Amino acid sequence: MFAHFAGAQSPPGYAVHGLAGGVFVEQVHSEVTTQTGSAERHRTITRVARYAATVRADTLVITADSLRLDETADGTHQVIDVDAVIGGRWRLLIDARGVATVVEVPFVPGTVADVSDLSSAMDDFFPAAPPMIAPGAQFTDSSHRAWRRLADSAAARRFRWSEQRPSDTTYTGPDSVQVHTMETAHEDGNVAWNVQRGPVAWSRHIQTTVTSHFAGRTVRAIADQRIVVSRLR
């Protein structure tokens, strides 16, 4: 069983019961450009969701109370039918650092997943717990995430972070085709952390470039994503 959030002089950390009863509103705006040879496709995806959190023993249950998903692709706008996902639930375990292990996801139709794969929405929904540093101080954690503590607000400690996530992988795709993928991701974020309730507001700006080489072709995808989350209660 998880303990309650640590006291005012202890390092910030997650406890599942501090999230119980929380209602979170998430706004996601993504710009995605895909380049294949001389062809280029541009998509804008926006998602607004309201999630409610409850607790069953040591498991955090997140329910999608409301959801809207829009896509504009090459100048054509459409509102995606997400009725099948509304009311869907994710079950997850979350450790003190904020690392989530998702043990159950809702059904997400292919027409929705093709635009936004909501089954993975809780994989990194909650931000990492910040380090215990004084206002104005800086710290780099074991994940190479650089933190800086900002001036506190009346009800929360405030932090800023940034990190780089490079990767280089090769795998065998369909028809035994070798695929070599290089990915670079840069993330900047801010979080307001309440001692009793954990994160009460946060934002993330993630810039990702993925380059894939296979069968003599090169495909490059460039994504710019902005995420804003606030806890209503």
Side-chain angles (χ1 to χ4, degrees), residues 206-224:
I206 307 168
Q207 298 169 295
T208 306
T209 300
V210 179
T211 304
S212 299
H213 303 282
F214 58 94
R217 302 173 59 197
T218 298
V219 177
R220 180 174 288 107
I222 303 168
D224 187 286

Side-chain angles (χ1 to χ4, degrees), residues 156-178:
R157 304 172 183 175
R158 297 170 56 246
F159 299 84
R160 177 176 297 153
W161 78 83
S162 65
E163 62 178 310
Q164 300 271 3
R165 296 190 297 270
S167 68
D168 191 320
T169 59
T170 300
Y171 63 93
T172 302
D175 300 323
S176 300
V177 174
Q178 289 288 309

Side-chain angles (χ1 to χ4, degrees), residues 17 27 34 94-95 107 151 156 184 218 222:
H17 290 286
Q27 300 177 66
T34 305
I94 187 166
D95 70 15
F107 168 72
T184 59
T218 298
I222 303 168

Side-chain angles (χ1 to χ4, degrees), residues 79-94:
V79 178
I80 309 302
D81 183 355
V82 293
D83 285 351
V85 186
I86 295 174
R89 294 181 177 180
W90 296 257
R91 298 179 186 273
L92 54 144
L93 305 173
I94 187 166

Side-chain angles (χ1 to χ4, degrees), residues 119-189:
S119 63
S120 62
M122 292 298 136
D123 288 3
D124 63 350
F125 177 78
F126 293 101
M132 183 60 176
I133 53 177
Q138 300 182 52
F139 178 79
T140 299
D141 64 21
S142 59
S143 298
H144 306 290
R145 186 181 295 111
W147 292 90
R148 181 182 179 187
R149 185 168 172 182
L150 308 176
D152 294 346
S153 65
R157 304 172 183 175
R158 297 170 56 246
F159 299 84
R160 177 176 297 153
W161 78 83
S162 65
E163 62 178 310
Q164 300 271 3
R165 296 190 297 270
S167 68
D168 191 320
T169 59
T170 300
Y171 63 93
T172 302
D175 300 323
S176 300
V177 174
Q178 289 288 309
V179 181
H180 179 209
T181 299
M182 296 175 292
E183 178 176 338
T184 59
H186 178 82
E187 176 173 338
D188 294 299

